[in-house]
Amino acid sequence: MDVLLIGAVACTSALILSAWLMTFARWFPIQGIDGGFLVDYKTMIRAHVDYALMALFQLGFFAASKTAGIELHHFACVCMAIGGFTNPTIFTIAAFDTDFWSKMKWKVFSAISFMLTTIGFMTICYQLICHVLCH
């Protein structure tokens, strides 16, 4: 289950880095960076918010399972940690690449990321609800 903490730290680090990048891009516009490098500021904000949500979900799942005395499946935690980081990363990459959504490699990356996140979320939620209903 500690992998959820690692995932939360990774998401929080990316959250802080994206905040600095967006702040730097707005406060100190540099030719080639703002508008040239970071082409979609709105999508970068989506990534920023998603990193925060994924960090909070992972911390919440970790805390809930520890408090309830549930040992979450390691595979589900790994899926949650990987998917929780890669989902917002999709938006991060898209903020720098205007053709992101039409490229097959990113469609495959997105599909794998969504599957991992779904497996992690649903398995952990299933374990938590089973604990409540069976005890």
Side-chain angles (χ1 to χ4, degrees):
M1 288 190 325
D2 290 346
V3 72
L4 289 175
L5 291 179
I6 295 167
V9 168
C11 287
T12 303
S13 298
L15 170 75
I16 297 302
L17 288 171
S18 67
W20 275 105
L21 174 66
M22 290 185 295
T23 301
F24 191 81
R26 287 293 185 211
W27 285 356
F28 309 105
I30 297 173
Q31 186 65 29
I33 300 287
D34 193 29
F37 182 60
L38 179 57
V39 293
D40 189 350
Y41 197 80
K42 201 182 292 187
T43 300
M44 193 65 191
I45 292 171
R46 288 183 186 122
H48 180 76
V49 170
D50 209 15
Y51 281 124
L53 290 172
M54 291 301 183
L56 290 172
F57 273 121
Q58 291 178 75
L59 291 172
F61 286 148
F62 180 83
S65 63
K66 283 289 191 180
T67 302
I70 303 167
E71 185 63 34
L72 298 176
H73 295 297
H74 180 72
F75 181 72
C77 293
V78 169
C79 287
M80 184 67 228
I82 293 171
F85 186 80
T86 57
N87 273 354
T89 301
I90 292 166
F91 292 118
T92 303
I93 297 166
F96 296 104
D97 183 358
T98 54
D99 296 327
F100 174 86
W101 302 107
S102 64
K103 295 179 180 174
M104 184 55 73
K105 67 180 178 182
W106 298 126
K107 289 179 182 181
V108 171
F109 179 82
S110 298
I112 292 169
S113 176
F114 294 154
M115 283 189 286
L116 287 172
T117 309
T118 301
I119 291 167
F121 261 104
M122 296 313 296
T123 303
I124 291 171
C125 287
Y126 176 77
Q127 282 190 268
L128 293 174
I129 200 70
C130 284
H131 178 77
V132 170
L133 296 177
C134 297
H135 285 94

